Amino acid sequence: TNRMKKIWGVTDEQLNETAIENLRKLVCDIKSLEEVAAIYGAEMREEQSTPLYTVSVYTGMFGAAALLNNEFLKEVCTRTGSTKLWIIASSVHELMILPYEYAEEAFCAYNTAVAFNELIEPDDMLSDNLYVYDDVTEKVEIYEGENRNGQA
């Protein structure tokens, strides 16, 4: 808050720099859908295979902060071989990420997350937005397009 900022004697710029520095210290954990299924003893059929990844942090709390970490998102682009990513904030604790080429699957996951948001505690919900990360511009933007119902 502004009151705390005044007490600490820091500027907006100093606060932002510290926040970015601390963000870089977060150890982000990315798992493929297959890896998540294996944790729960399930196996994916080949036709079910989708390059869907879940992102959290090692503490399990507030993993959606990875959304602000460009270095991490660049690593995900390298891992997926895509220059753009779909990002869905499934909660404040976790993100779902798909390569941009998988729009239909991204819209399906987005719609599932929106429905899920109605079931979770309000404090755990981040947003009902679908985001796009562009590795070239190094920006995350809210997807403003239409057809979130599964049509790219």
Side-chain angles (χ1 to χ4, degrees):
T1 66
N2 287 333
R3 185 173 149 269
M4 292 175 78
K5 194 170 55 171
K6 188 174 182 178
I7 291 170
W8 295 338
V10 295
T11 66
D12 286 341
E13 292 78 23
Q14 290 169 317
L15 196 57
N16 187 51
E17 285 175 23
T18 302
I20 296 297
E21 185 178 310
N22 287 334
L23 182 63
R24 288 189 179 121
K25 293 177 186 175
L26 280 179
V27 178
C28 297
D29 181 38
I30 182 167
K31 288 185 173 57
S32 68
L33 188 58
E34 289 82 8
E35 290 170 310
V36 172
I39 290 170
Y40 295 102
E43 289 185 26
M44 303 290 293
R45 293 191 310 261
E46 193 168 320
E47 67 271 12
Q48 289 177 308
S49 184
T50 299
L52 173 70
Y53 298 88
T54 62
V55 176
S56 59
V57 294
Y58 73 98
T59 62
M61 301 293 291
F62 307 112
L67 182 70
L68 304 172
N69 189 333
N70 275 345
E71 290 175 20
F72 174 74
L73 293 173
K74 285 181 108 24
E75 289 175 27
V76 175
C77 283
T78 299
R79 179 174 175 170
T80 63
S82 183
T83 59
K84 283 185 166 183
L85 303 169
W86 292 106
I87 303 174
I88 302 143
S90 51
S91 75
V92 296
H93 306 297
E94 185 176 72
L95 300 173
M96 292 186 287
I97 295 181
L98 290 105
Y100 195 74
E101 296 77 25
Y102 291 85
E104 185 175 333
E105 292 85 348
F107 294 136
C108 181
Y110 164 77
N111 288 322
T112 301
V114 169
F116 181 72
N117 279 343
E118 295 188 17
L119 304 174
I120 64 174
E121 293 294 322
D123 289 346
D124 287 337
M125 185 182 140
L126 183 61
S127 78
D128 278 339
N129 291 317
L130 178 60
Y131 301 92
V132 175
Y133 172 74
D134 187 325
D135 192 30
V136 175
T137 63
E138 296 184 355
K139 290 186 177 185
V140 174
E141 297 182 325
I142 295 173
Y143 175 70
E144 299 291 348
E146 296 187 24
N147 302 322
R148 295 183 191 183
N149 62 354
Q151 308 292 321

